[in-house]
Each structure stands twice: as C-alpha cells, then as structure tokens.
Amino acid sequence: MSTETGDDSRTRETGHGEDDGRAAGARRAARRDAAVRAAVAQGLLGPDHPLVALLDVTGIRESAAELREAFAAVTPSGTPVLHAFAVKATPLVPVLRLLHTEGIGAEVASPGELALARAAGVPPERTVLDSPAKTPAELREALALGIAVNADNPQELARIDALMAESPARPAGLRSPLGIRVNPQVGGGTIEALSTATATSKFGVALRDEGAREWVVRAYLDRPWLTRLHTHTGSQGIALPLMARGVAETYALAEEINRRAGRQQVDTVDIGGGLPVDFTSDTAGPTYTRYARLLKETVPGLFDGRYGLVTEFGRSLLAKHGTVVARVEYAKSAGGRAVAVTHAGVQVAARTVYTPAAWPLRIAAYDAAGRPKAGPAVMQDVAGPACFAGDLLAREIPLPLLEQDDYVAALDTGAYAFAHHYGYNSLPRPAVHGFTAHHVNRADGTDHVSGTDRTNRTGGPGAGVAFALVRPAQTAEEIVAESGGAHLDALIP
C-alpha cells in the first residue's frame, strides 16, 4: 500500500539524517530474521506456542531518535517541542515506558489510555488528552493532574468553563494547557475511514461551516487561558502536501487569533500526527525528516520560534518494528490453490482481514527452524484460525511453498495489529516479546563487527538475540474470567 505521491517518492530518506533507506531496511530485516530464528531456538515458538508477536527495541529507539532530530533540525534552539505518542497505536505499557525514556510523551483518548500512560511513568506535563467524547469526569481528572486538553466542540468547551468555575483557584492556578481542535476541512485521502479533515468529519470544529471560524476566534478572545490550537489532518492514505495544508490553515487561524487579541495568546500549535507508513517494503517512508522539511517550507512562520509545537505520531513510530509470527499447522490445497492454515488471522490483523485492499500485509516465510525459507515462488493463501472463510492474512501471494511446521510472519504489525486483539472464537491474545539483536546489521546475517555468522558467534542459532516479555499470552482461565465466568448463574431466575 504505497502512500507517497509526487516528490514524496523522491525523498525517502530514512534513519538519522540522510541515512540510506535501503540499508536501514536491510538492517531491520536482518534483526527480524535473527529474532524469528532465536524465538524458535529458545522455545518462544513451537508446537505448544504457535503464535507470538515480536517488537524490535532497536528499531523503536531509532524511530524515536529520528523524530526528535527531524523537528530539532527545523526549529530554533529552545523551541518547546513535545512529541506525544498516540497511545492507541500500540497500547502496551512497556512500549510507552520505552518511548518515555527516549523523550516521547503520550497522547491519550480514553481513561484506559491515560491509565496506561500513567502506569508507564509518563508525567502529566508530557501528556495530551484528545477525544471527541470526553466525559465530565475525564475532563475533571485531566485538569486536576495538569494534563493538556484539546476541546473538540463548543459543548465540551462549555463543560470546561463549568469546571473552571468550580474551583476558585482557576484560571489563575490552571496547570493544564488548553486549546480547541479544529477541522480545516481540506479533504480526505485514499482511506475514507481514516480521513479526519473531510467536510463532514466527526472531529473538531469545522472551520469552513458558516460562522464556525468566528466562533473559534471569539472563544479564544473570551478565554485568555486558551493558549493552544490543535488539528490532525494526517493518517494512513493522506498525502504529505495535504497534511501540510491542514497545518497551514491552522497556523493562519492562530495568527488571526493573536492579531485580534493584540498579543501572543496562542503560543503552541498541536499539529497532530498521521505520518503514513509504506507497507510495501522494508524501507521506511515517507520520513519525519521529509515531513518536517515540507512543513517548514509550507508554513515558515510556524518554525520561526514564536510557537511551541506538539506532535502526535503513532503508526509511524511503531508499525515497522512489529512482527507477528505464526506456525503453519496444516498445509493443504483447495481448487488447485495451496493454502497454509496458520494461527494468525483476524484476531491479530482485523483491518487486513476485513478490508484487505486498504490494509495489505507483507508475509515472510520461514522454515521449521525459523530460517528464511528458500524455493520457487508458489501462489498460495495464508489463512488464519477463525471460523469464517474470509479469515486470510493474504490471498494468492507468491511465496516458497509453505509446509506443515513452517512459520509465516506478518510484517509491519507493530501498530494497530497484535496490540489490538479481536476476540473472535475466543482466540487468546498472543504473547508479545521485545527483542534486541546484538551485532546483527547486515542483510546476509553476518556480524557487522567481526564478520562471523550470527548463528555461530556464541555457539548456537539465535544466541545473539535477547528477549523481554512485554505481555504474556492470554490463558484459557483468563478468557473465562473475562467472559463472565464468575457470574455463572446470573441469567438464571
């Protein structure tokens, strides 16, 4: 699923600075291959553990560093910049903790996500609350903690007014940065369900509706404590120029508010996230570097030091660094087509199964020992375990012929996939492990320092890979408990 248009495809620099994207992708693939083999060798995968999710810790750290560096390169020294990870992308506490140690905060959109961020140690001043349906209790908690809040609509702003009036210390004692989310209505992308800046989007105040822009300006003039302005135009399927246009529209509104206020009332612009991901190869793109440069070219006034920035990237930070690996339980044929029946399907990749045209996944084949499988390509289906015909990770894809006890890997699933379990057939959540592959950097699997083969460097397959449990596999007992097992007779008179 390519999301690049125009000059985006000519500027797919990845990694730090101008690092070659193909080399970075090859290193990422080498780490992944090492991890799959190590997972088999160390017993994380096998007949009794047919499904596991893997997170590349090195890759996550590199993406966080690239994000920080990309925006540092286009902002004056001392500009306040908060990169808040969209928790919905990968709602796992250890992931949030890792990102926090890498200088990334949290953007939350529910009480559950806020609880995850707090459990990970993300401080309130590095947390942003966004949601189109915040309750009074959620708003009250955010204001009490000092968490930034972006009001979605006039009714929500009225609730904030009421909460401000409840406390005699406010607004003088207000710790929460507050703003309004606006929808610049610049249009959508190739995936309608993810297009947040259409004319009828449910998010924010629709700026082009009659009277809406003046209402927003008046809201700020009447409330000196509104100091932020928020938009979120981007998402998968949105071209970078359209994302930049949405930011430009929001910046123009901030300038208008400040001009009419006669002072710098809006001091921070939250540009949201939504950088799309290339799911067609190991190369990451478009990159933060490209997007940050495009923003500075399109909206230079936003980067002259007068405004602080908040970003809310999610998918682009994690997608490339997650892999679901499943055992081939059976290999069969139907209508002349080979079908590999695996343990990964709708429960770990719901979007792909239900809307495969919009969310295709790359599939990699491994043999029973976890080594990349070789052989002539054969068109085949990769099926999941759920009891409906459409539970397919991939249809008619060319792979070396998969056999019983082989493994398949669904690539680029670090966001909006295995962390968002779908309980069809009461299938259990898979275990999630983070991994670090030491000295594995080349596509051929050799050690970048000594040149020795990684499988023999310390005496065994995958010995250079260390795993850390992020989330244990769900047990049958836990499934029963979550399904009301403690209330057995609740419906019997």
Side-chain angles (χ1 to χ4, degrees):
M1 176 172 49
S2 178
T3 59
E4 295 176 346
T5 59
D7 65 350
D8 291 337
S9 62
R10 299 193 294 271
T11 55
R12 293 174 61 180
E13 67 273 37
T14 57
H16 298 180
E18 299 295 326
D19 187 23
D20 178 71
R22 291 184 180 179
R27 291 194 296 270
R28 188 161 45 245
R31 292 195 301 267
R32 179 180 65 235
D33 289 347
V36 173
R37 188 167 190 192
V40 176
Q42 296 182 32
L44 301 182
L45 275 168
D48 296 329
H49 305 285
L51 179 66
V52 72
L54 304 176
L55 286 168
D56 180 356
V57 175
T58 299
I60 296 171
R61 290 184 186 276
E62 289 177 348
S63 286
E66 190 213 338
L67 172 57
R68 297 193 316 269
E69 293 167 9
F71 279 83
V74 296
T75 52
S77 177
T79 300
V81 179
L82 170 62
H83 298 295
F85 174 66
V87 173
K88 60 182 175 289
T90 312
L92 297 170
V93 171
V95 168
L96 306 184
R97 182 66 171 179
L98 172 62
L99 290 171
H100 173 51
T101 66
E102 293 297 313
I104 308 297
E107 183 265 335
V108 301
S110 73
E113 289 183 356
L114 176 56
L116 295 179
R118 296 189 70 188
V122 181
E125 63 270 18
R126 299 189 62 78
T127 305
V128 180
L129 174 62
D130 290 319
S131 164
K134 306 180 195 73
T135 66
E138 291 173 59
L139 292 169
R140 183 177 289 107
E141 180 182 23
L143 294 179
L145 292 172
I147 290 170
V149 177
N150 293 313
D152 181 82
N153 55 70
Q155 293 175 8
E156 183 181 330
L157 186 58
R159 282 183 171 175
I160 294 175
D161 286 339
L163 291 171
M164 297 281 281
E166 284 181 5
S167 172
R170 294 176 181 145
L174 181 66
R175 292 184 296 145
S176 294
L178 300 177
I180 295 175
R181 177 171 182 169
V182 296
N183 170 14
Q185 295 174 290
V186 294
T190 59
I191 304 176
E192 182 180 0
L194 297 188
S195 297
T196 59
T198 60
T200 57
S201 170
K202 72 178 185 179
F203 293 105
V205 178
L207 280 184
R208 298 186 184 182
D209 284 12
E210 184 177 358
R213 188 183 189 92
E214 180 60 26
W215 179 86
V216 172
V217 174
R218 192 76 253 166
Y220 277 81
L221 298 182
D222 291 343
R223 299 167 179 83
W225 39 266
L226 286 175
T227 59
R228 288 190 176 183
L229 192 60
H230 172 47
T231 191
H232 184 101
T233 303
S235 197
Q236 193 67 22
I238 305 293
L240 265 62
L242 186 62
M243 293 172 59
R245 184 180 164 197
V247 173
E249 296 272 353
T250 306
Y251 164 76
L253 177 59
E255 290 281 89
E256 180 181 348
I257 292 168
N258 289 341
R259 183 174 62 254
R260 291 178 58 177
R263 63 185 183 90
Q264 181 86 24
Q265 178 171 339
V266 176
D267 59 22
T268 301
V269 177
D270 183 336
I271 65 173
L275 190 71
V277 170
D278 181 1
F279 287 97
T280 66
S281 75
D282 279 311
T283 302
T287 66
Y288 297 121
T289 298
R290 169 59 188 159
Y291 183 45
R293 290 175 179 172
L294 177 63
L295 285 173
K296 186 168 184 177
E297 294 168 4
T298 306
V299 201
L302 185 58
F303 295 87
D304 63 9
R306 291 179 297 129
Y307 290 93
L309 292 175
V310 177
T311 72
E312 300 175 355
F313 296 105
R315 179 183 292 107
S316 55
L317 274 167
L318 261 292
K320 287 299 202 185
H321 311 306
T323 304
V324 173
V325 190
R327 189 167 181 264
V328 177
E329 198 66 42
Y330 301 107
K332 56 195 291 188
S333 177
R337 185 186 303 169
V339 180
V341 181
T342 80
H343 290 270
V346 71
Q347 86 276 31
V348 291
R351 285 176 169 177
T352 295
V353 169
Y354 286 126
T355 54
W359 298 102
L361 286 175
R362 291 184 299 137
I363 304 296
Y366 295 87
D367 66 17
R371 298 168 299 203
K373 184 154 188 169
V378 176
M379 300 302 288
Q380 54 199 299
D381 289 353
V382 178
C387 291
F388 68 96
D391 186 28
L392 299 170
L393 282 184
R395 296 167 169 82
E396 293 187 84
I397 61 166
L399 290 172
L401 184 62
L402 291 164
E403 302 171 279
Q404 189 176 36
D405 300 334
D406 282 346
Y407 293 94
V408 297
L411 311 183
D412 306 333
T413 48
Y416 300 104
F418 55 77
H420 298 70
H421 185 77
Y422 177 42
Y424 201 101
N425 281 143
S426 296
L427 291 164
R429 290 189 295 269
V432 180
H433 296 267
F435 71 87
T436 303
H438 302 288
H439 303 295
V440 177
N441 282 279
R442 293 180 181 168
D444 62 2
T446 56
D447 188 302
H448 80 293
V449 174
S450 65
T452 58
D453 185 272
R454 70 169 175 262
T455 62
N456 297 319
R457 188 166 62 85
T458 55
V465 179
F467 292 99
L469 183 63
V470 172
R471 183 188 70 189
Q474 188 179 29
T475 66
E477 292 77 14
E478 289 169 337
I479 292 173
V480 171
E482 290 184 8
S483 301
H487 308 280
L488 179 65
D489 294 326
L491 304 180
I492 300 175

